[in-house]
């Protein structure tokens, strides 16, 4: 019932927004690293602690990180967080799109565990086609916009919504 953001121990958050006037259902929004196509966190990191994998995940190497936290400032989505409670070995923490699972040919954990099957995983161009088809088939259900297709140069996570994205 309160707006939350990711933190050092919580890499994915689902926020609930109250129903808009004239509607009866609340809106839920998943927040995690969007794994940008050109990640600002990686471009701000002068030691290259952040890397983009071929699968699309933006991953972090704590062994080279100097703790400057420029990545936190650079991220337009306020995703990377810092382990302030680890005085001697702090790390920058964020969703890794379950990169180790992807390397094994498995789905990201959130996709596999989603009880409503609201999450789909695949190649970005295929997902954009699926999204366009859903919008075409259900124009009353979705706003005609795929969030992440162009925002911030494009992201690996794409979103559909029944309300304008500015409202959530």
């Amino acid at each position: 019932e309160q707006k939350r953001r990711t933190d050092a121990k919580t890499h994915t958050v689902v926020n609930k927004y109250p129903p808009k006037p004239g509607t009866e259902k609340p809106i839920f929004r998943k927040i995690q690293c969007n794994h940008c196509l050109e990640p600002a966190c990686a471009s701000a990191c002068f030691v290259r602690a952040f890397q983009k994998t071929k699968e699309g995940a933006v991953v972090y190497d704590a062994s080279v990180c100097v703790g400057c936290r420029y990545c936190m400032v650079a991220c337009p989505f306020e995703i990377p967080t810092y382990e302030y409670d680890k005085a001697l070995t702090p790390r920058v923490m964020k969703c890794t799109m379950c990169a180790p699972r992807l390397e094994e040919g498995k789905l990201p954990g959130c996709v596999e565990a989603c009880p409503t099957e609201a999450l789909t995983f695949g190649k970005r161009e295929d997902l954009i086609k699926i999204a366009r088809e859903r919008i075409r088939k259900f124009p009353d259900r979705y706003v005609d916009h795929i969030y992440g297709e162009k925002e911030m140069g494009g992201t690996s996570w794409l979103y559909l919504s029944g309300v304008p994205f500015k409202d959530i």
Side-chain angles (χ1 to χ4, degrees):
E1 298 301 323
Q2 67 184 40
K3 185 178 177 187
R4 301 169 298 151
R5 62 165 288 194
T6 60
D7 60 39
K9 292 181 176 66
T10 310
H11 302 162
T12 298
V13 172
V14 177
N15 282 326
K16 178 180 175 183
Y17 297 82
K20 295 290 177 199
T23 64
E24 53 200 61
K25 292 182 182 178
I27 298 164
F28 295 90
R29 176 178 160 225
K30 183 180 190 309
I31 301 166
Q32 81 286 311
C33 178
N34 287 311
H35 301 279
C36 300
L37 300 183
E38 296 185 30
C41 60
S43 65
C45 183
F46 59 89
V47 295
R48 299 184 47 87
F50 283 96
Q51 299 287 320
K52 180 104 173 139
T53 69
K54 63 181 170 65
E55 293 84 10
V58 176
V59 296
Y60 166 74
D61 181 356
S63 71
V64 297
C65 181
V66 297
C68 70
R69 298 172 289 230
Y70 288 165
C71 57
M72 293 172 63
V73 175
C75 177
F77 302 107
E78 299 180 320
I79 295 300
T81 59
Y82 198 67
E83 289 182 316
Y84 288 102
D85 60 333
K86 308 267 185 182
L88 300 177
T89 57
R91 297 171 297 172
V92 173
M93 303 299 289
K94 65 172 221 44
C95 162
T96 65
M97 198 189 289
C98 295
R101 290 177 57 91
L102 293 179
E103 288 172 7
E104 295 174 11
K106 297 178 182 175
L107 292 172
C110 61
V111 174
E112 188 172 286
C114 183
T116 62
E117 298 181 7
L119 305 176
T120 303
F121 183 78
K123 293 186 182 208
R124 187 173 191 274
E125 56 272 9
D126 295 339
L127 296 175
I128 290 172
K129 288 177 189 172
I130 291 168
R132 288 195 199 294
E133 183 61 16
R134 283 188 187 174
I135 292 168
R136 187 191 67 72
K137 273 186 172 175
F138 306 103
D140 294 341
R141 187 184 301 174
Y142 299 111
V143 172
D144 187 9
H145 182 79
I146 303 168
Y147 189 90
E149 183 177 16
K150 295 185 173 67
E151 285 77 11
M152 303 310 300
T155 63
S156 293
W157 279 103
L158 303 168
Y159 300 87
L160 295 182
S161 175
V163 298
F165 287 96
K166 66 179 176 52
D167 293 346
I168 54 171

